[in-house]
């Protein structure tokens, strides 16, 4: 028999989420191990019942007569005594009806429900940076288990019905007595005939073979929000694997990968690009229009005397934030290019410029070098770390 999760919390089947929460808080305060060290197992039962009844999918299984925590450890509550564990040893000494909650550690678990919740599914999709910036409706192909349309999840053929398993007599488990140095030890394991359900289907569905689900490949459209990043996932509720026995489907997760862009490098909501600046433009100053990721252009202006490695920031031209939509900053890294080949006219012009300039080649002090470019300090730190 499936556990009475409503009874464990002391609420009616139609209880609201608030009523369930109040009942759990009351019992949790009474049974918490810090208050009542001897009530640890009951505290775990209450916590498990609250987990089940506050999860819509698990609660649906309970209302359908199933047990979403069946097979999750001794009694389904993770008490630490699984099949063939210490519970079987105690049962061999104290009997199936003696002590320890009236059912022993290894007995009274009963068959698990045939209807079980489905597993989540994961699909990967690669997007361009422009698609991540603007958002996109993407068509994906999903290969999952879906509800059998012939038996509607019942697993039976026509009007046939499941029957009690002859091997375990409906218990979902079989017991065996083994001799050990402690004496006779009773072990409990899942019934190999019904696989713990307690029932078998003599005349299974011709399409799904009694599983209540079949595999199918389908296409669907997923809405990718603007501002999503590589590694993030979009959750589609109830679009994953249908569970055994036609149980409720798990969720489908679409994980986004981001293709490299030929111009921009992304850093969360900011974008970085490199602009090649000839030495003359760096000396005189200039500007350039950059095509942005969402269309339009952003004007990048640099002042006269621009130095190599300077960064110009243009706010509001980066990626949109996923939640707020506020766009980040475009960082333009200026790469000042010194010509390596000069013709005679260029050489003459530069010689005239040098003659008119007061600047000249010199060895500078460490403080001046550090203040201007940081080169000396970087060299000093590098040698200090040797």
């Amino acid at each position: 028999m499936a556990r009475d999760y409503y009874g464990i919390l002391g609420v009616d089947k139609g209880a609201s989420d608030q009523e369930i929460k109040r009942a759990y808080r009351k019992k949790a305060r009474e049974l918490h191990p810090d208050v009542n060290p001897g009530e640890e197992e009951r505290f775990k039962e209450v916590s498990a019942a609250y987990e089940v009844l506050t999860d819509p999918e698990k609660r649906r299984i309970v209302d359908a007569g199933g047990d979403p925590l069946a097979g999750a450890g001794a009694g389904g509550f993770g008490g630490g005594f699984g099949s063939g564990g210490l519970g079987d040893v105690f049962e061999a000494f104290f009997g199936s009806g003696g002590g320890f909650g009236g059912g022993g550690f290894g007995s009274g678990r009963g068959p698990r429900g045939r209807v079980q919740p489905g597993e989540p599914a994961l699909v990967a999709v690669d997007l361009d940076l422009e698609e991540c910036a603007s958002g996109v409706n993407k068509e994906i192909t999903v290969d999952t288990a879906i509800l059998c349309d012939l038996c509607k999840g019942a697993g039976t053929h026509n009007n046939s019905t499941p029957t009690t398993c002859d091997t375990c007599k409906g218990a979902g488990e079989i017991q065996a007595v083994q001799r050990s140095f402690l004496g006779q030890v009773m072990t409990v394991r899942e019934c190999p005939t019904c696989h713990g359900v307690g029932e078998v289907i003599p005349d299974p569905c011709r399409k799904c073979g009694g599983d209540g689900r079949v595999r199918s490949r389908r296409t669907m459209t997923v809405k990718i929000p603007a501002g999503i990043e590589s590694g993030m996932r979009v959750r589609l509720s109830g679009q994953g694997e249908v569970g055994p026995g036609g149980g409720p489907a798990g969720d489908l997760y679409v994980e986004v990968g981001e293709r490299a862009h030929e111009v921009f490098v992304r850093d969360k909501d900011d974008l970085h690009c490199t602009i090649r600046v000839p030495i003359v433009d760096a000396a005189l100053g200039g500007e350039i229009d950059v095509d942005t990721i969402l269309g339009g252009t952003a004007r990048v202006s640099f002042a006269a005397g621009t130095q190599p490695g300077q960064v110009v920031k243009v706010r509001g031209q980066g990626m949109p934030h996923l939640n707020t939509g506020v766009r980040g900053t475009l960082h333009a890294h200026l790469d000042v290019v010194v010509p390596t080949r000069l013709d005679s006219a260029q050489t003459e012009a530069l010689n005239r410029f040098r003659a008119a300039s007061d600047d000249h080649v010199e060895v500078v002090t460490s403080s001046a070098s550090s203040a201007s470019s940081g080169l000396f300090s970087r060299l000093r730190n590098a040698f200090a770390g040797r």
Side-chain angles (χ1 to χ4, degrees):
M1 294 291 292
R3 280 176 290 272
D4 182 9
Y5 292 102
Y6 293 101
I8 292 172
L9 288 181
V11 296
D12 296 329
K13 188 174 182 179
S16 66
D17 291 342
Q18 287 297 327
E19 291 172 333
I20 291 173
K21 183 178 293 186
R22 284 196 297 268
Y24 168 69
R25 287 178 177 174
K26 180 180 178 181
K27 287 188 174 292
R29 284 194 296 266
E30 296 172 353
L31 303 174
H32 195 279
D34 291 342
V35 179
N36 276 317
E39 297 290 351
E40 183 177 352
E41 293 303 319
R42 289 186 60 197
F43 178 77
K44 291 180 180 179
E45 288 185 356
V46 168
S47 298
Y50 175 74
E51 174 194 348
V52 169
L53 296 182
T54 53
D55 186 306
E57 297 296 340
K58 293 178 181 178
R59 187 171 181 177
R60 190 183 309 168
I61 296 173
V62 173
D63 293 341
D67 188 346
L69 296 185
F77 295 112
F81 299 109
S83 297
L86 289 177
D88 301 318
V89 177
F90 281 107
E91 184 176 353
F93 286 100
F94 298 104
S96 60
F100 298 94
F105 282 82
S107 64
R109 283 166 293 191
R112 62 178 176 84
R114 194 178 72 84
V115 179
Q116 297 291 320
E119 296 292 331
L122 178 65
V123 175
V125 60
D126 289 332
L127 302 179
D128 295 328
L129 187 60
E130 291 84 355
E131 293 175 316
C132 292
S134 62
V136 64
N137 291 327
K138 202 73 173 179
E139 188 176 85
I140 59 174
T141 300
V142 184
D143 187 0
T144 60
I146 63 172
L147 187 71
C148 177
D149 59 355
L150 184 60
C151 68
K152 308 301 181 185
T156 57
H157 179 61
N158 290 336
N159 295 322
S160 63
T161 57
T163 61
T164 301
C165 175
D166 290 333
T167 303
C168 65
K169 308 304 180 186
E173 58 191 20
I174 57 176
Q175 300 177 349
V177 178
Q178 298 179 346
R179 292 184 177 276
S180 73
F181 70 93
L182 294 174
Q184 289 185 339
V185 178
M186 180 176 292
T187 60
V188 181
R189 60 186 177 89
E190 181 182 90
C191 176
T193 302
C194 66
H195 302 291
V197 177
E199 296 178 335
V200 294
I201 301 177
D203 190 13
C205 172
R206 302 295 187 265
K207 187 171 185 178
C208 66
D211 193 34
R213 55 182 181 168
V214 293
R215 297 208 70 81
S216 175
R217 177 166 292 179
R218 54 198 165 101
T219 58
M220 59 187 302
T221 301
V222 57
K223 183 178 181 180
I224 307 295
I228 197 166
E229 294 184 50
S230 182
M232 288 185 174
R233 294 181 177 182
V234 177
R235 175 176 173 265
L236 301 178
S237 179
Q239 294 295 327
E241 297 274 353
V242 167
D251 296 333
L252 173 65
Y253 293 90
V254 180
E255 185 171 84
V256 171
E258 192 176 279
R259 300 188 187 99
H261 195 271
E262 61 179 4
V263 173
F264 298 107
V265 176
R266 180 179 183 179
D267 179 18
K268 298 189 181 299
D269 296 338
D270 291 345
L271 292 175
H272 296 258
C273 69
T274 300
I275 296 179
R276 182 181 180 274
V277 181
I279 190 172
V280 175
D281 293 275
L284 299 177
E287 60 184 21
I288 185 174
D289 289 334
V290 179
D291 293 332
T292 61
I293 202 69
L294 287 174
T297 58
R299 177 152 295 183
V300 177
S301 301
F302 46 93
T306 291
Q307 300 299 306
Q310 281 189 218
V311 179
V312 177
K313 298 180 181 180
V314 184
R315 300 190 182 279
Q317 294 297 335
M319 296 291 289
H321 189 274
L322 180 62
N323 296 324
T324 65
V326 177
R327 294 180 64 179
T329 300
L330 172 64
H331 301 255
H333 299 257
L334 304 183
D335 181 19
V336 178
V337 180
V338 178
T340 57
R341 294 183 180 180
L342 300 173
D343 58 23
S344 58
Q346 292 170 330
T347 301
E348 183 181 352
L350 286 176
N351 281 326
R352 289 199 304 271
F353 172 78
R354 181 165 58 183
S357 173
D358 292 334
D359 203 4
H360 55 276
V361 179
E362 65 177 336
V363 176
V364 299
T365 64
S366 61
S367 59
S369 177
S370 177
S372 60
S373 66
L375 175 61
F376 188 83
S377 62
R378 290 196 299 272
L379 290 172
R380 180 172 55 193
N381 292 338
F383 282 100
R386 292 179 60 179

